[in-house]
Amino acid sequence: MTDLIKKQRLSSGNATENKLRILRPSYLTNVSFMFFLYWAVLVAWQNISRAEARSSVDVIIKTGLLILFVGFYLFNAKYIYKKILWVILFSISLMITLFSEPDFPFSILIAYVYPILILTMVYGFGDKYEIDRDQLTAFCNCVIIVLMFAAVYAAVFNTEHFTSALSFTSAYGNELASFFLSSHEYGMYLVYGIAACFICLRYKERRLSKRILYYIAIVVFLINLVLTFSRTSMLAAVLLFAVCILFLKNKKLWFYSVLLMITGIIVIISVPALWNFVYRVILKENNLAGRGELNAIAVDYFIEGTWFQKLFGHGVYESRTYFENMTTHGSVHNAYLQVLVYYGLIGSLSLTVFLISQFYACIREIKKDRFIGVISLGILVSAAAVMFTNTPIIFTSPIDSYFLTIFAVIVPKYVRNAINSGRFIKIQETIPYEQSGLKI
């Protein structure tokens, strides 16, 4: 009898708590909405201002968004998870690097504080957050809408890229960027826009009339992706497709993909003008665009450092200053080498171990939900490739880095949480809140 009374009281308490949670506006507890809002504000600001990175207003905007991010997690926080201990250890390493800097203006201070805060929120306070199927598809649809707007903008204001593309003799100076600052940034978004279409096709729409819209979006994104002439982004797309083809175990997908690839190769080889365009413009005649030299400088810079600098890095400010003086670039166009010179062996090892853990999590998820496990693995593999030849670094503040972090790491993590708890797909509303799939 005592146990029955306790259960009734617990049930009554849970019911009251559920009512209070349901009364709370969903946008205040929908982490995927916050992720998209953060990115959308950055995109809008970039489009309006065209401001250079690390300008005063840019720092103010990013600081405000960081406060929004932290505020969301603290508002919804219930527990502090043990992973925060790893975050604290990594934070100590970053602080040692920071205080070894010759100078650290506010913009540089943000470069150190940002990853600490993001990691603390995501793994310290939000380690068990969940994103269910409806939240995932809503997030993906929002990303698709923004990118379709960017594609329309490109078609209207960069029409010559579409009408005269085959007449280009060089990719340099002709890259399609829409309203983004870089064609590489636009290309990366397009790759994940395609992945978002895959997700929506899997979960959102069954009617052919609606599904056609996603197929159209994929074609539009692919055309724009090619015209960015971003080999890094195109490689990321190839890797995303390859992982899906290899691991989804869909015979039709495999057959049509191989057929399309073979047909495309035959057509390109058979038409000299097309082959010339692909090799000279799209592939840029295998020109590394100075990346080899930048990588060599980065390796030498690391080797010539003291044992302390090898361990903890030269620091963000000192490294940027060095490369701006040595070259015309502020970075080495390789995220892994960038982390090595910024944060040393400790930072590089932390990044490597983290990526390996994410690969393992995706592969393990394939056994529970094949599609989510495979698409997450494809996105992660493509993200790793993007960082190998480009500047975005996960858990850092630039807009492309933020999007890469959210789409390749955090959203898949929270989706896996929902699948593992059995709340990814909503069930009847009459079932208690904790079992309904509404909890993030």
Side-chain angles (χ1 to χ4, degrees):
M1 182 65 71
T2 304
D3 292 339
L4 180 59
I5 293 172
K6 287 182 179 179
K7 287 181 180 179
Q8 289 175 341
R9 287 178 178 175
L10 182 60
S11 177
S12 176
N14 287 342
T16 302
E17 184 181 359
N18 294 340
K19 288 179 182 179
L20 290 175
R21 288 177 178 172
I22 290 170
L23 287 174
R24 179 183 291 180
S26 61
Y27 60 84
L28 294 179
T29 58
N30 187 338
V31 69
S32 60
F33 174 78
M34 187 273 295
F35 290 157
F36 172 75
L37 178 64
Y38 191 118
W39 179 63
V41 170
L42 285 178
V43 169
W45 165 245
Q46 180 175 268
N47 189 25
I48 293 169
S49 69
R50 311 298 291 182
E52 293 184 1
R54 299 189 299 279
S55 68
S56 346
V57 181
D58 187 65
V59 169
I60 291 171
I61 295 289
K62 289 179 179 177
T63 302
L65 289 172
L66 186 56
I67 291 172
L68 168 69
F69 193 101
V70 172
F72 175 90
Y73 275 87
L74 294 180
F75 178 75
N76 292 286
K78 296 181 182 66
Y79 308 103
I80 297 179
Y81 296 94
K82 61 183 180 180
K83 287 183 181 177
I84 199 172
L85 297 175
W86 293 106
V87 176
I88 290 172
L89 290 175
F90 179 67
S91 301
I92 292 172
S93 170
L94 286 187
M95 288 300 99
I96 292 173
T97 305
L98 171 63
F99 289 112
S100 69
E101 292 263 28
D103 189 17
F104 42 88
F106 186 70
S107 61
I108 296 298
L109 186 62
I110 288 291
Y112 286 93
V113 172
Y114 181 92
I116 292 174
L117 287 178
I118 296 297
L119 287 166
T120 300
M121 295 303 112
V122 172
Y123 292 96
F125 292 101
D127 190 51
K128 299 300 181 183
Y129 277 17
E130 298 173 6
I131 293 178
D132 63 35
R133 182 182 63 177
D134 290 346
Q135 292 169 343
L136 175 63
T137 53
F139 172 77
C140 288
N141 274 323
C142 289
V143 170
I144 292 168
I145 289 169
V146 170
L147 293 178
M148 282 300 292
F149 175 77
V152 171
Y153 180 97
V156 173
F157 295 101
N158 305 118
T159 310
E160 69 282 357
H161 285 77
F162 299 89
T163 58
S164 307
L166 291 177
S167 65
F168 292 156
T169 57
S170 173
Y172 299 105
N174 296 309
E175 300 95 336
L176 181 66
S178 186
F179 52 72
F180 296 101
L181 294 181
S182 160
S183 61
H184 296 293
E185 179 186 345
Y186 185 38
M188 186 187 75
Y189 295 155
L190 290 167
V191 173
Y192 297 128
I194 293 169
C197 289
F198 289 166
I199 293 170
C200 289
L201 283 168
R202 173 67 175 83
Y203 292 118
K204 183 66 179 175
E205 297 293 347
R206 298 297 181 188
R207 288 179 296 177
L208 181 61
S209 59
K210 294 288 184 69
R211 292 172 69 84
I212 286 176
L213 296 177
Y214 291 111
Y215 290 124
I216 292 173
I218 290 173
V219 172
V220 170
F221 293 164
L222 282 173
I223 293 172
N224 278 256
L225 176 60
V226 170
L227 294 180
T228 63
F229 303 137
S230 171
R231 292 170 295 180
T232 298
S233 299
M234 285 185 272
L235 173 62
V238 169
L239 292 173
L240 173 65
F241 293 144
V243 170
C244 290
I245 292 167
L246 289 173
F247 291 97
L248 279 179
K249 291 186 176 180
N250 186 316
K251 293 182 179 179
K252 288 185 178 180
L253 175 64
W254 184 89
F255 174 77
Y256 287 117
S257 298
V258 172
L259 180 63
L260 183 63
M261 180 181 67
I262 294 174
T263 303
I265 292 173
I266 292 173
V267 170
I268 290 172
I269 294 176
S270 303
V271 181
L274 188 56
W275 166 249
N276 185 62
F277 174 73
V278 170
Y279 179 72
R280 295 188 60 186
V281 181
I282 296 179
L283 298 180
K284 301 176 183 177
E285 299 181 274
N286 292 325
N287 184 351
L288 295 179
R291 284 183 172 83
E293 180 184 351
L294 288 171
N295 292 347
I297 293 173
V299 171
D300 290 340
Y301 186 46
F302 169 76
I303 292 174
E304 293 168 2
T306 64
W307 69 266
F308 179 88
Q309 290 169 331
K310 286 185 174 70
L311 195 59
F312 294 100
H314 290 268
V316 177
Y317 180 79
E318 187 173 339
S319 298
R320 284 178 179 173
T321 303
Y322 178 84
F323 280 97
E324 285 170 358
N325 291 334
M326 290 289 293
T327 69
T328 57
H329 304 278
S331 67
V332 302
H333 288 277
N334 182 314
Y336 304 101
L337 288 177
Q338 196 76 57
V339 168
L340 185 64
V341 297
Y342 275 177
Y343 310 120
L345 289 171
I346 291 179
S348 183
L349 181 62
S350 299
L351 175 62
T352 302
V353 170
F354 178 80
L355 288 175
I356 291 173
S357 72
Q358 296 306 295
F359 281 116
Y360 175 73
C362 292
I363 292 172
R364 188 174 55 184
E365 194 64 28
I366 291 175
K367 298 178 182 179
K368 300 176 182 178
D369 186 308
R370 176 163 292 275
F371 177 79
I372 288 297
V374 169
I375 197 71
S376 298
L377 180 63
I379 292 170
L380 187 63
V381 168
S382 67
V386 165
M387 290 197 296
F388 191 75
T389 58
N390 223 325
T391 54
I393 305 173
I394 55 174
F395 295 109
T396 56
S397 63
I399 179 174
D400 51 354
S401 299
Y402 167 80
F403 188 85
L404 188 70
T405 305
I406 294 301
F407 208 93
V409 177
I410 303 180
V411 168
K413 167 184 169 55
Y414 289 164
V415 170
R416 290 195 298 268
N417 284 349
I419 291 172
N420 296 339
S421 69
R423 290 188 285 262
F424 180 61
I425 299 177
K426 289 183 180 180
I427 48 183
Q428 295 179 1
E429 296 180 358
T430 54
I431 292 178
Y433 183 85
E434 280 77 12
Q435 302 175 20
S436 67
L438 293 172
K439 186 178 180 181
I440 58 175

